[in-house]
Amino acid sequence: IATGYLIIYNVFRISVSNEIRRYGMLKTIGTTGRQLYSMILIQAIFLSLFGIPLGLLFGFGTGVALTPVVINELNISHSAGVSTSPIIFVFSAIFAVLTVLISCFKPARIAAGVSPIEALRYNETMINNHFRKGTKGVSIPKMAAANLVGNKVRTVLTIISLSLSVV
């Protein structure tokens, strides 16, 4: 649950951060915070309509392909088959939709609460002069370090979500 939530939350948070200027412009022309909130939720539901069925099909196909291999590796004497019960798919889809909706509530609130002036001045990474005053030029490790230090919350969330998904 935590892994799915963090990954989806991180994706939506980065998406909202990248589009924050657009949300500010929409607020300038009269879009309300509630409308922006609804836009993000509708976007999440739209993405879920395509992603969840594809994920269920891919997961089922992977399960069908790997179950015999795992059974042979574990030396299980009886043959266990892959269940095709529709209840499993329905509960999986409901769980995925709930996870997506819960994950996108906070990014939607961030987008709904942005003021037009803040959005125009918004810069996702705060510039750290330590990295800008180098005399040795630009290098990939320096750019990577500046990107990691620039937005600490995004870095921590990304590391946690990737670590949990690996575990």
Side-chain angles (χ1 to χ4, degrees):
I1 294 171
T3 303
Y5 168 78
L6 280 173
I7 290 172
I8 296 167
Y9 168 76
N10 202 15
V11 167
F12 274 102
R13 187 173 182 280
I14 291 170
S15 174
V16 166
S17 294
N18 290 339
E19 298 289 325
I20 204 82
R21 288 180 188 239
R22 186 171 67 100
Y23 297 137
M25 284 190 272
L26 286 171
K27 279 195 118 172
T28 301
I29 61 171
T31 306
T32 65
R34 179 172 277 184
Q35 288 171 327
L36 287 176
Y37 190 85
S38 297
M39 275 178 34
I40 304 242
L41 290 179
I42 289 169
Q43 179 185 10
I45 291 168
F46 182 75
L47 291 171
S48 296
L49 287 175
F50 291 103
I52 291 172
L54 289 174
L56 289 173
L57 287 174
F58 180 73
F60 179 73
T62 304
V64 167
L66 291 181
T67 299
V69 174
V70 171
I71 288 174
N72 287 337
E73 286 295 320
L74 295 176
N75 294 325
I76 297 175
S77 60
H78 61 74
S79 129
V82 177
S83 175
T84 58
S85 171
I87 294 172
I88 296 172
F89 292 100
V90 169
F91 280 121
S92 296
I94 290 170
F95 177 75
V97 168
L98 289 176
T99 304
V100 167
L101 290 177
I102 290 169
S103 300
C104 71
F105 282 148
K106 187 172 181 184
R109 274 188 279 146
I110 291 170
V114 69
S115 75
I117 302 300
E118 287 176 9
L120 290 176
R121 288 189 279 174
Y122 179 77
N123 185 7
E124 186 178 348
T125 59
M126 301 303 288
I127 296 173
N128 188 346
N129 287 334
H130 173 69
F131 290 105
R132 303 267 311 175
K133 291 185 178 180
T135 57
K136 297 180 181 174
V138 178
S139 69
I140 292 177
K142 282 185 184 180
M143 289 190 302
N147 193 20
L148 287 175
V149 184
N151 192 336
K152 291 179 177 74
V153 173
R154 183 182 66 189
T155 301
V156 168
L157 285 174
T158 303
I159 289 171
I160 290 172
S161 64
L162 289 174
S163 300
L164 284 174
S165 65
V166 168
V167 170

